[in-house]
Amino acid sequence: FIFIFLSCMSEKVNIPKVGVCIVSYNSEKHITGCLSSLYENTNPKFICALVDNASKDQTVNMVYKYFPQTHVVINKINKGYAKANNQAIRYFLKKNVSYVLLLNPDTYVSSSLIQELVAVFEHNPLAGVVGPIVTYENDPKKIWFAGGKFNNIFCISSHPNMNKQLKSVHIYTRSVDFITGACMMIRSSVFGRVGLLPEDYFLYFEDVFFCKKIRHNGLTCMLLAKPLVKHYVSSSTGVMGENIMTPIRAYYFARNPLIYIQKEVRGMQKITCFIGQFFIRLPYYLCRMTWERVFLSIPAYFRGLASGLMLT
């Protein structure tokens, strides 16, 4: 009996502690669904922090009312995705968590999400980041994210399997270039090795460039080939359920790669990366915004280019 008791105690001690960070911005339509699904997770040792970026709706009040176990941080201004996540990450590191899960507020997660992501880490000592397949909430059989690719020569990122049906492609658990920040679990030791999320970008591309830095430091970014998250997509910054290039997306899609090129790229590769922005991405997005008839996004894209050039 004593042996069994000690064994059980040992198993409980070995359960890794996970911190879950959700950054919200006017997320009252989705936050209860997101947190309800999160708190159904089978991992018994996780804590959750919600960092609110100056929402003007009832997001915070709803969290206080229905999820009092959630640690809430209220920002008086919108600090952006990375800076708000870093607030929670610092909190979690003081709590000695083993892993940090970044999760968008417009997601609905499987009850096995935390447990299965942790298992990938446990079987892959070099894994720095792990994430699952993410599907559309309004079409759970359709892929939104299943591993990202990054072209170093032209500084272009992509979701190769976006909008494909799950049954139409063979996806396996593997190392990828980046994991989406919509659902990204990070080994806590990574932050001591490469630092926190880059705060220069405010919105979009932080996940891509953070993962690139992790891989540069000899760690891997792993895709778990299971659809464990459903995503409403662009509920705060675009048209819900769509990938339409709204003005805010267009601005940061144009600006942020230019900031990255100046800060991180050297030599001849800087020239090819600028070519990628002006002779590949610019024509592509101009055609796309024209096709989608989001004409206000076109000047926003050019403002993003100008801002990126001025910042560099």
Side-chain angles (χ1 to χ4, degrees):
F1 175 81
I2 294 175
F3 175 78
I4 295 174
F5 175 77
L6 291 175
S7 297
C8 291
M9 289 300 293
S10 175
E11 288 178 3
K12 289 182 180 179
V13 170
N14 290 331
I15 295 174
K17 193 174 183 181
V18 177
V20 182
C21 174
I22 299 173
V23 174
S24 60
Y25 177 70
N26 295 329
S27 305
E28 66 177 8
K29 290 182 180 179
H30 306 295
I31 195 63
T32 55
C34 176
L35 287 173
S36 293
S37 66
L38 177 66
Y39 281 115
E40 290 175 0
N41 260 255
T42 51
N43 183 295
K45 290 191 68 175
F46 79 88
I47 53 178
C48 179
L50 180 130
V51 182
D52 186 77
N53 268 335
S55 290
K56 298 194 181 343
D57 62 8
Q58 295 300 308
T59 300
V60 172
N61 291 334
M62 293 174 74
V63 175
Y64 280 143
K65 180 177 180 180
Y66 297 110
F67 307 96
Q69 68 272 51
T70 304
H71 176 73
V72 177
V73 178
I74 302 174
N75 291 328
K76 293 182 180 180
I77 60 171
N78 187 345
K79 294 187 176 183
Y81 173 84
K83 188 171 287 189
N85 270 305
N86 286 341
Q87 290 176 269
I89 290 168
R90 292 187 186 97
Y91 169 78
F92 291 139
L93 293 179
K94 291 178 182 178
K95 297 288 185 179
N96 296 314
V97 301
S98 298
Y99 306 101
V100 173
L101 173 63
L102 309 184
L103 189 66
N104 275 14
D106 57 350
T107 56
Y108 188 90
V109 308
S110 164
S111 61
S112 64
L113 173 69
I114 295 177
Q115 179 180 334
E116 297 205 49
L117 293 182
V118 168
V120 178
F121 282 110
E122 301 294 306
H123 290 92
N124 296 273
L126 290 179
V129 171
V130 176
I133 294 173
V134 181
T135 60
Y136 289 88
E137 193 283 334
N138 60 353
D139 189 353
K141 295 181 180 179
K142 186 178 180 181
I143 297 170
W144 179 72
F145 179 85
K149 288 190 69 65
F150 184 76
N151 185 307
N152 288 293
I153 296 175
F154 296 114
C155 189
I156 295 175
S157 62
S158 62
H159 294 197
N161 290 301
M162 178 180 278
N163 294 330
K164 295 180 181 178
Q165 294 295 315
L166 276 169
K167 291 183 178 180
S168 69
V169 292
H170 175 65
I171 302 172
Y172 56 94
T173 298
R174 67 191 190 280
S175 174
V176 295
D177 289 345
F178 68 90
I179 295 297
T180 175
C183 182
M184 169 195 286
M185 184 175 281
I186 308 160
R187 195 186 298 271
S188 60
S189 59
V190 163
F191 300 111
R193 193 164 175 173
V194 307
L196 300 179
L197 298 179
E199 297 183 358
D200 299 315
Y201 307 106
F202 188 79
L203 187 66
Y204 297 121
F205 290 97
E206 303 96 337
D207 47 5
V208 177
F209 301 141
F210 184 64
C211 286
K212 192 174 188 304
K213 195 172 183 180
I214 288 172
R215 291 189 295 110
H216 182 73
N217 279 268
L219 301 174
T220 61
C221 302
M222 299 291 297
L223 172 73
L224 173 60
K226 293 185 179 182
L228 301 178
V229 175
K230 292 181 286 187
H231 188 17
Y232 280 91
V233 182
S234 302
S235 64
S236 296
T237 61
V239 179
M240 190 185 305
E242 302 290 343
N243 294 294
I244 291 175
M245 285 292 290
T246 55
I248 188 170
R249 292 186 73 200
Y251 176 84
Y252 288 109
F253 267 47
R255 187 194 77 149
N256 289 351
L258 294 177
I259 297 174
Y260 168 80
I261 292 167
Q262 181 63 20
K263 288 175 62 69
E264 306 292 342
V265 180
R266 298 292 179 268
M268 288 296 296
Q269 188 180 346
K270 181 171 286 191
I271 296 175
T272 62
C273 285
F274 275 113
I275 290 172
Q277 304 315 297
F278 290 96
F279 294 96
I280 299 176
R281 294 183 81 241
L282 175 58
Y284 167 76
Y285 282 116
L286 286 177
C287 291
R288 176 173 165 180
M289 290 181 286
T290 302
W291 175 260
E292 293 174 349
R293 301 181 67 82
V294 284
F295 301 115
L296 291 177
S297 298
I298 295 175
Y301 196 93
F302 281 104
R303 287 196 301 272
L305 290 175
S307 177
L309 291 171
M310 287 189 291
L311 289 172
T312 58

